[in-house]
Amino acid sequence: MNHQSAQARWERHTQRPLLALAVAFTVAYAVPIVDHSAGHSLTYACTLVEWVVWAAFAVDYLMRLALAPRRREFVRTHWVDLCAVVLPLLQPLRLLRMVSTLLLVGRRARMASQIRLTTYVAGAVIGLLMFGSLAVLSVERDSPNGNIRTLGDAVWWSFTTMTTVGYGDHAPTTGLGRMIAVGLMLSGIALLGVVTANIAAWFIARFEKDDVEERRQTEAIAALAEEVRLLRAEVARLADEREQQRS
């Protein structure tokens, strides 16, 4: 119990700082991509911030593992967190750091019971659109046959890809860009399914609530009608007794 409470306290106290670090990671990841003419010092500083943020999430995972009452079960149930921590070490690509940070932020956001599903989905959509646009722009801008050259083109492509519309006016030409496209399409389908299921569950709950209220009113009317019937029978019995007494 002490270990569990310590783990819960750690997660509660570190959630906001880690989300703030995720915002810092977003800025550091976006600046060299948006400002293609950024100098070496600025690019180095942004890379350093990205690694610091990843290191913070790695320390967070290790602390939660240390505070977990059953560590093997923690590793088994949090394997996505472990993969996200190990992934950037396999090969130091900025895209891998972006993917791992997205995974870790998403996992920590799910732990917050106060964050409702709608808020989480909206944040996931904005995050995927933003990071998808930046990621595809970084790999497609210098491609000889690429047609995604500006941030506006990348954002438009992300919208059409996540919604599975696919106008075809902009499309990735590199292998890595197509992998990003596949990820965005699958994420868009998954988020659409979550939103659809959430709306359907709301309507079902609403209909069930209306049915319960209707059944309650029907039962109340039936009970009232039964009481009226009994009162009429009692009144008729008393009237008969009075007639018998008079006679």
Side-chain angles (χ1 to χ4, degrees):
M1 183 65 67
N2 292 332
H3 288 287
Q4 291 179 345
S5 60
Q7 182 183 355
R9 286 197 303 270
W10 171 266
E11 292 173 353
R12 184 174 64 254
H13 291 317
T14 58
Q15 180 182 341
R16 290 185 179 181
L18 288 177
L19 291 178
L21 286 176
V23 174
F25 175 89
T26 302
V27 176
Y29 181 79
V31 167
I33 298 176
V34 176
D35 186 8
H36 196 52
S37 60
H40 176 73
S41 58
L42 180 59
T43 303
Y44 177 79
C46 292
T47 302
L48 181 62
V49 171
E50 293 175 13
W51 278 111
V52 168
V53 172
W54 169 83
F57 277 99
V59 171
D60 172 69
Y61 175 82
L62 293 176
M63 285 298 299
R64 288 189 289 134
L65 176 61
L67 295 173
R70 292 182 292 273
R71 295 177 183 176
R72 289 186 178 180
E73 182 178 352
F74 180 87
V75 173
R76 182 176 57 83
T77 57
H78 295 75
W79 61 270
V80 175
D81 301 46
L82 180 60
C83 292
V85 169
V86 175
L87 187 63
L89 294 178
L90 301 180
Q91 188 171 351
L93 293 176
R94 298 180 71 243
L95 186 59
L96 290 183
R97 292 199 298 275
M98 183 267 289
V99 172
S100 65
T101 304
L102 276 178
L103 289 174
L104 291 170
V105 170
R107 297 288 291 182
R108 288 306 305 270
R110 288 192 189 96
M111 293 178 186
S113 59
Q114 69 271 19
I115 296 180
R116 296 184 178 181
L117 179 62
T118 304
T119 305
Y120 180 79
V121 170
V125 169
I126 295 173
L128 287 171
L129 283 174
M130 179 175 58
F131 280 107
S133 301
L134 294 172
V136 77
L137 180 61
S138 66
V139 300
E140 291 291 326
R141 179 161 47 193
D142 297 328
S143 176
N145 300 322
N147 55 17
I148 302 176
R149 303 291 185 182
T150 65
L151 183 61
D153 293 339
V155 172
W156 171 250
W157 172 83
S158 296
F159 267 108
T160 57
T161 301
M162 281 196 67
T163 55
T164 65
V165 175
Y167 284 109
D169 51 350
H170 295 288
T173 57
T174 63
L176 190 55
R178 289 169 180 169
M179 289 179 60
I180 296 172
V182 171
L184 278 180
M185 285 185 285
L186 295 178
S187 301
I189 294 172
L191 288 173
L192 181 62
V194 170
V195 173
T196 304
N198 193 27
I199 294 175
W202 183 84
F203 275 110
I204 292 174
R206 184 69 180 178
F207 291 150
E208 289 180 351
K209 183 179 179 181
D210 292 341
D211 291 341
V212 170
E213 182 66 20
E214 184 178 354
R215 287 196 299 269
R216 188 185 66 81
Q217 293 178 355
T218 302
E219 292 174 356
I221 292 173
L224 182 60
E226 181 64 18
E227 290 180 0
V228 172
R229 187 186 66 79
L230 294 176
L231 287 173
R232 286 179 177 176
E234 183 66 18
V235 170
R237 186 183 65 80
L238 293 175
D240 292 341
E241 290 181 354
R242 182 173 296 181
E243 287 293 332
Q244 291 177 0
Q245 289 176 358
R246 288 180 178 178
S247 62

